[in-house]
Amino acid sequence: MRRINVTIWNEFVHEKEDRIRKIYPDGIHGAIAQMLGRDKKYNIRIATLEMEEHGLTEDVLNATDVLIWWGHCAHSEVSDEVATRVRNRVLGGMGLIVLHSGHRSKPFVMLMGMDCRLKWRENDEKERIWVIEPAHPIARNLPEYIELPMEETYGEKFDVPTPDELVFISWFSGGDVFRSGCCYKRGNGKIFYFRPGHEEYPTFYREDISQVIKNAVDWAAPTNGPISTVGHWEALEKVEDKFAGRPDSERLHTYITK
Ligand code: ZN
């Protein structure tokens, strides 16, 4: 069995308040680690904001197949250097799962190239997550919809690039809708944004939510495809170099006047 190296990153700030600690005594990362840990396929590592280099050194990222990210109130405390390192690793092939309020995290915003803002409301509304791509790997073993009795409401427009694939759409009892399962490819890496998971609700203990996260990790894991060459490239076939020995300026001139 091929094991997948998963690093769960959590800013781990809210869970230090009594109110939130009651819901996630081991932190949100602890709840996610527990549910992924039941499957021996996943080799799990934890990283948090307070750790040296936020727990995301070059060595850790190079040994990570899929990074899961939960953040909310401390996005600005993540160093630009670490955020850029995460971005570069995704372009190099690491999978990235961004949960809930991670939509405004530095690595996600960098990779999307947009503000990633949205409407929100904390009103204990019901969320119904509809699977709109049943054949997608992230929909494996899911029911037609997942109903969360209470969650934070997010609403469109979600200011992100149009997803390469949209797996879920959420409806909220307040009337809002939201693109809640968005897939992107960036460089050699895959990114999945998954909406639910506000810290005030026990969402990450649910079997159906666990199934989505496991499916997303499996989908985002690197597939060991070829590493593409960039830059100057010699022709594979025998072709005459018409500009051999002539200056570059001439090459350009010929191209323009053709
Ligand atoms: Zn939230």
Side-chain angles (χ1 to χ4, degrees), residues 93-190:
M94 180 182 73
L96 177 67
I97 314 292
V98 176
L99 300 170
H100 186 59
S101 39
H103 67 93
R104 288 280 293 158
S105 65
K106 283 186 184 177
F108 188 65
V109 170
M110 275 181 192
L111 285 158
M112 294 297 105
M114 289 177 75
D115 277 350
C116 308
R117 291 186 180 273
L118 46 81
K119 290 192 185 77
W120 62 272
R121 168 170 79 242
E122 291 177 16
N123 194 37
D124 290 350
E125 287 171 23
K126 176 158 74 179
E127 176 175 9
R128 191 175 292 134
I129 304 168
W130 288 97
V131 177
I132 61 162
E133 285 295 345
H136 196 279
I138 297 179
R140 189 172 58 90
N141 290 338
L142 293 181
E144 197 170 359
Y145 61 86
I146 296 171
E147 208 163 85
L148 306 176
M150 276 190 235
E151 252 291 350
E152 179 179 3
T153 300
Y154 279 4
E156 296 281 348
K157 187 185 176 275
F158 186 17
D159 182 28
V160 285
T162 301
D164 298 332
E165 293 167 306
L166 183 62
V167 186
F168 305 123
I169 291 177
S170 284
W171 167 90
F172 296 87
S173 48
D176 291 274
V177 294
F178 193 78
R179 288 170 290 170
S180 52
C182 305
C183 300
Y184 296 96
K185 290 198 181 97
R186 290 291 182 273
N188 294 319
K190 282 176 261 176

Side-chain angles (χ1 to χ4, degrees), residues 2-59:
R2 185 187 159 227
R3 298 195 79 192
I4 301 176
N5 296 312
V6 181
T7 300
I8 303 169
W9 191 89
N10 181 16
E11 70 177 16
F12 193 30
V13 175
H14 290 297
E15 302 98 309
K16 288 177 181 161
E17 301 165 31
D18 284 345
R19 200 169 58 90
I20 307 301
R21 191 187 295 126
K22 279 185 192 136
I23 302 160
Y24 290 110
D26 300 319
I28 286 172
H29 55 284
I32 297 171
Q34 210 175 23
M35 63 87 167
L36 282 182
R38 278 184 242 131
D39 193 329
K40 296 292 165 240
K41 180 164 65 169
Y42 307 109
N43 195 10
I44 297 159
R45 184 198 298 263
I46 300 293
T48 60
L49 180 67
E50 63 199 352
M51 292 165 74
E52 184 89 17
E53 298 183 56
H54 315 316
L56 300 175
T57 60
E58 292 275 3
D59 286 349

